[in-house]
């Protein structure tokens, strides 16, 4: 059985994952109407789906442990961007926020000696390490590329390969 404080903290995480899914959906939609960003578009549609899966896993866990998962209201995310660099900066910022929040959950689980939740959260810890690594890598690549058009072409082509590189489940 989840404590009230753990239930509230997990529900906050549900909202954060839902908001991430929404933010990446907006990035995908923005990229889709820019010329030549097919790879980036698919990458963010796929990221948005992954975040939805992250949210669903939490919802199922909360309910299975005797709590009540509350489907959250969502804010409109950033929907337009001055350029690709900003998109990926926001992506990294978002992932760092999620990682910090997962760390707080792990801390709470240990403090409450809730080892079932602690065990459940390990999947998220691993997932966040990978997502942060990927977001940093993509930001570093964009930094190197700068305004070079052929570099951006290759970036968009290569990011296609990164789609679904994680199991997302
Ligand atoms: Fe589920 Fe990328 O945070």
């Amino acid at each position: 059985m989840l404590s009230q404080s753990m239930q509230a903290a997990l529900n906050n995480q549900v909202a954060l994952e839902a908001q991430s899914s929404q933010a990446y959906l907006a990035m995908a939609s923005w990229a889709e109407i820019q010329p030549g960003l097919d790879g980036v578009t698919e990458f963010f549609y796929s990221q948005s789906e992954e975040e939805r899966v992250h949210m669903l896993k939490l919802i199922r866990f909360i309910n299975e442990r005797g709590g009540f998962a509350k489907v959250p209201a969502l804010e409109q995310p950033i929907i337009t961007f001055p350029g690709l660099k900003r998109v990926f900066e926001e992506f990294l910022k978002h992932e760092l926020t999620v990682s910090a929040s997962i760390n707080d959950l792990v801390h709470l689980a240990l403090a409450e000696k809730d080892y079932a939740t602690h065990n459940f959260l390990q999947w998220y810890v691993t997932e966040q390490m990978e997502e942060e690594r990927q977001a940093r890598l993509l930001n570093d690549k964009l930094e190197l590329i700068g305004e070079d058009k052929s570099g951006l072409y290759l970036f968009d082509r290569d990011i296609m390969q990164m789609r679904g590189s994680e199991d997302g489940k």
Side-chain angles (χ1 to χ4, degrees):
M1 188 82 184
L2 292 170
S3 69
Q4 286 302 315
S5 52
M6 182 54 81
Q7 190 180 161
L10 289 169
N11 268 312
N12 279 340
Q13 192 66 30
V14 167
L16 194 52
E17 301 290 351
Q19 200 60 51
S20 301
S21 177
Q22 197 78 338
Y24 300 158
L25 187 59
M27 289 173 185
S29 180
W30 176 83
E32 197 163 32
I33 61 161
Q34 313 304 312
L37 292 183
D38 301 9
V40 172
T41 299
E42 293 309 321
F43 176 79
F44 280 111
Y45 274 129
S46 168
Q47 283 299 126
S48 176
E49 284 297 318
E50 277 194 22
E51 299 304 346
R52 183 176 154 75
V53 171
H54 296 177
M55 175 193 69
L56 283 172
K57 279 173 82 91
L58 281 156
I59 287 177
R60 303 299 298 261
F61 179 77
I62 294 167
N63 289 338
E64 277 163 18
R65 298 275 324 280
F68 174 41
K70 297 176 184 130
V71 174
L74 297 176
E75 290 168 24
Q76 183 172 47
I78 301 173
I79 58 169
T80 58
F81 301 88
L84 208 50
K85 203 161 175 288
R86 177 66 65 79
V87 173
F88 282 89
E89 283 167 1
E90 287 296 326
F91 175 44
L92 177 58
K93 207 166 99 184
H94 222 91
E95 289 305 322
L96 292 174
T97 303
V98 173
S99 291
S101 177
I102 294 288
N103 284 346
D104 288 347
L105 279 172
V106 170
H107 183 79
L108 181 65
L110 283 176
E112 292 194 356
K113 298 189 171 146
D114 180 347
Y115 297 115
T117 301
H118 182 266
N119 185 50
F120 168 77
L121 289 171
Q122 295 316 299
W123 183 88
Y124 286 85
V125 171
T126 308
E127 183 74 5
Q128 278 315 117
M129 277 168 55
E130 175 53 25
E131 296 216 328
E132 262 188 53
R133 187 195 66 78
Q134 192 180 54
R136 281 186 215 282
L137 179 73
L138 291 168
N139 273 275
D140 289 350
K141 280 183 189 239
L142 279 178
E143 192 64 41
L144 275 175
I145 292 165
E147 297 302 314
D148 177 49
K149 291 243 186 311
S150 53
L152 286 171
Y153 170 81
L154 292 174
F155 178 90
D156 188 72
R157 190 197 63 182
D158 292 349
I159 201 171
M160 290 255 201
Q161 320 300 325
M162 296 180 86
R163 274 185 309 140
S165 60
E166 300 154 64
D167 63 10
K169 295 176 188 72

